[in-house]
Amino acid sequence: RHYRGDPKDGCRHCCWNKAGTILYVTNELSCTITALSFDTDSGILGKRRVTVPIAGVDLDRSHHRGLSDLVLHPNGRLLFVGCRSTQPSGCIAVFTVEEEPQSDEFFVELKLQGFAVTLGEVPRNFKLIAEDNSEANSGDANDGDVGPSWLVVGNQETKSVECFEVCVNGDGGEGRCNMNDNYNHWSNSLPVTRYLRHTSSISTAPYKPCNIASFDAINA
C-alpha cells in the first residue's frame, strides 16, 4: 500500500488535495513534483502517478539544494512550491492544477505559470492563510470559494519572514494569479511572473526560521 519513490528523487514534503484522493510530493533531489493517486477503499497509494519537472531556475545550491515545501491553495487550482535556488536566491514556483481523480485515466495536469521571488535566501517553509467565503456566499458558492489569502514564507539563510498577498483571479474559474506586484527584484533572461504582492517583513535574526506554524495549530 505504501509508495516507494526513486531514491534519487529524495521526497521531502507532501500535501493532499481537498478530497484526499491525490497526494502531491516535492522531490528535493530531482527537482520534480509527483502527483500520486490514493484509493480510499483499498488504501493503496501511488498506483497511478504523474511527475513534472521544475525548469527555469538554478536549483544546484550546495547544502540547500533543490525543492522545499509545497502548499495547495484551498481553491484546488494553484500549487505553490518552494525553490531553494541560487538564481534567484529564493523563489516559489506557481503551478495551475487540473485534476480528475475519479477518472479511469487518473488525469492530473500541472502547468508551471511562473515564479515569485521570496525576497530572501532558502525559502524553507511557508503557510497559506485563507479566509473561507463559502458561508457568506452560500447562495451561489462554488467548491473552494475562498476570500483573501496570504502566503507567509520563512527565508532560512537571510533570517526573515515575509508575508505576501495571493491575488487570485477567479474569472472563468481558472485560478490564475493576478500579476499586480510592485516588486521586481530579479533581472534575468527568464521571465518572472509576479504572483504575490509583498505586504510585510519580520527579521528573525540571529535565528534562522525553519517552520511556520499554521493558524489552526495556534488556535487548537
Side-chain angles (χ1 to χ4, degrees):
R1 294 187 179 186
H2 303 290
Y3 167 70
R4 187 179 297 276
D6 190 322
K8 295 180 181 179
D9 286 342
C11 55
R12 182 179 176 93
H13 286 274
C14 60
C15 68
W16 292 96
N17 68 343
K18 188 175 182 178
T21 53
I22 297 177
L23 185 69
Y24 294 96
V25 181
T26 54
N27 299 308
E28 177 181 7
L29 302 180
S30 62
C31 302
T32 57
I33 307 297
T34 299
L36 303 170
S37 66
F38 180 68
D39 190 317
T40 56
D41 294 327
S42 66
I44 296 176
L45 175 65
K47 184 177 181 179
R48 299 173 182 174
R49 69 197 68 167
V50 174
T51 299
V52 297
I54 292 184
V57 294
D58 184 2
L59 293 168
D60 192 13
R61 180 190 181 96
S62 60
H63 304 300
H64 302 290
R65 180 180 184 271
L67 307 182
S68 58
D69 204 359
L70 80 166
V71 169
L72 185 66
H73 193 278
N75 66 16
R77 299 189 297 268
L78 288 172
L79 184 69
F80 300 91
V81 181
C83 301
R84 298 177 295 174
S85 54
T86 56
Q87 186 60 260
S89 59
C91 67
I92 291 177
V94 184
F95 288 85
T96 53
V97 179
E98 292 185 30
E99 57 181 44
E100 294 180 16
Q102 303 304 327
S103 69
D104 293 336
E105 299 300 324
F106 178 63
F107 176 79
V108 177
E109 186 175 38
L110 299 175
K111 291 183 178 180
L112 179 62
Q113 299 299 312
F115 301 89
V117 292
T118 64
L119 307 183
E121 294 182 12
V122 188
R124 177 167 173 173
N125 184 248
F126 48 90
K127 290 295 187 294
L128 186 69
I129 302 168
E131 295 182 5
D132 189 348
N133 270 359
S134 57
E135 292 186 3
N137 301 323
S138 57
D140 56 356
N142 295 319
D143 194 28
D145 186 17
V146 295
S149 52
W150 295 266
L151 200 68
V152 182
V153 184
N155 292 310
Q156 177 178 310
E157 294 305 304
T158 45
K159 304 172 184 176
S160 66
V161 175
E162 308 291 341
C163 183
F164 301 88
E165 182 182 4
V166 181
C167 306
V168 178
N169 178 10
D171 294 341
E174 76 280 7
R176 295 178 183 269
C177 289
N178 292 328
M179 294 175 286
N180 58 354
D181 179 8
N182 295 322
Y183 290 78
N184 186 6
H185 292 264
W186 181 28
S187 297
N188 194 287
S189 58
L190 175 69
V192 178
T193 306
R194 299 180 294 280
Y195 290 92
L196 308 178
R197 183 167 55 207
H198 186 246
T199 60
S200 62
S201 176
I202 299 174
S203 173
T204 63
Y207 305 105
K208 296 180 180 181
C210 62
N211 192 49
I212 307 295
S214 67
F215 272 20
D216 290 340
I218 294 173
N219 294 330

